[in-house]
Amino acid sequence: MALLPILVAPHPVLKQTAKPVAKVDARIARLMDDMVETMYDAQGIGLAAPQIGVLERVIVVDVHEKDEPANPIRMANPEIVWASDELVPCEEGCLSVPEHYAEVTRPKAVRVRYLDQQNEIRELDADGMLATCVQHEIDHLNGVLFVDHLSMLKRNMILRKLQKQQRQGATA
Ligand code: GNR
Ligand code: NI
């Protein structure tokens, strides 16, 4: 397995749309494993392939509690096939928007159809943090960051700060 560097906004790759996976073969299965390892190393609860510079529709999520065993979910071509009318606000963060947090309102529950690591079609019913996280990851596949759900003023404040930090070579 391998740890992969995570791109930080405003990186142009994070704005692009990822391509569907034709088949979950050995290469995609390996990518999924590398993404799970990278997600845990970065202490994230989700990761989308564009965040590591790969424009393919692959995400991983794990929202397990600290005192529970790991429960990584690996998905290719995830699609929301149903979303609840009920919306909930959640304080979101993003490994590609380090050290910034803001409330985003999304459907409370979703049903997601995807290909698993064995290339089998599966569906997952998610609510709570898992539902929020899966929607955040699918946004990444469409070139959308959580800051794109904020006002232009808030978004630009965050993006300018990140750009300045990177120009100055800061690590955080
Ligand atoms: O680690 C993460 N935490 C998080 C918190 C609230 C809503 C979404 C997330 S996903 C984020 C990891 C990440 O950037 N995934 O793309
Ligand atoms: Ni993110």
Side-chain angles (χ1 to χ4, degrees):
M1 298 223 282
L3 284 180
L4 307 159
I6 296 173
L7 303 180
V8 172
H11 193 292
V13 166
L14 295 170
K15 298 304 299 169
Q16 293 183 42
T17 300
K19 288 199 176 69
V21 167
K23 182 183 183 217
V24 180
D25 56 11
R27 181 181 67 87
I28 297 293
R30 158 96 198 232
L31 170 66
M32 288 170 162
D33 287 341
D34 288 346
M35 286 172 59
V36 169
E37 188 184 358
T38 300
M39 170 179 71
Y40 289 149
D41 181 72
Q43 296 179 47
I45 60 170
L47 189 70
Q51 292 181 275
I52 52 155
V54 175
L55 285 167
E56 301 194 67
R57 301 187 80 83
V58 175
I59 68 172
V60 296
V61 298
D62 188 343
V63 299
H64 77 276
E65 302 286 338
K66 279 199 188 80
D67 55 357
E68 285 172 16
N71 182 29
I73 307 174
R74 299 162 172 86
M75 303 185 189
N77 301 345
E79 253 186 282
I80 293 173
V81 295
W82 172 84
S84 63
D85 291 332
E86 190 182 347
L87 309 177
V88 285
C90 177
E91 185 89 348
E92 296 199 15
C94 181
L95 295 170
S96 297
V97 187
E99 290 171 21
H100 293 273
Y101 305 88
E103 204 165 81
V104 177
T105 297
R106 303 180 187 269
K108 182 178 189 290
V110 291
R111 174 169 293 163
V112 189
R113 186 175 297 154
Y114 63 98
L115 291 173
D116 70 10
Q117 200 171 21
Q118 283 72 45
N119 197 49
E120 303 283 345
I121 295 181
R122 298 182 56 150
E123 286 191 358
L124 174 73
D125 282 311
D127 72 1
M129 202 62 206
L130 181 58
T132 295
C133 187
V134 167
Q135 292 174 81
H136 173 117
E137 302 314 332
I138 292 174
D139 269 358
H140 276 298
L141 302 181
N142 297 324
V144 174
L145 300 175
F146 82 85
V147 296
D148 295 317
H149 295 281
L150 309 178
S151 69
M152 189 162 61
L153 182 70
K154 284 188 189 173
R155 174 167 62 251
N156 287 343
M157 273 185 359
I158 292 171
L159 294 177
R160 284 204 197 97
K161 195 169 262 185
L162 288 171
Q163 191 160 41
K164 185 175 171 197
Q165 284 169 345
Q166 288 172 86
R167 269 204 310 269
Q168 295 176 341
T171 52

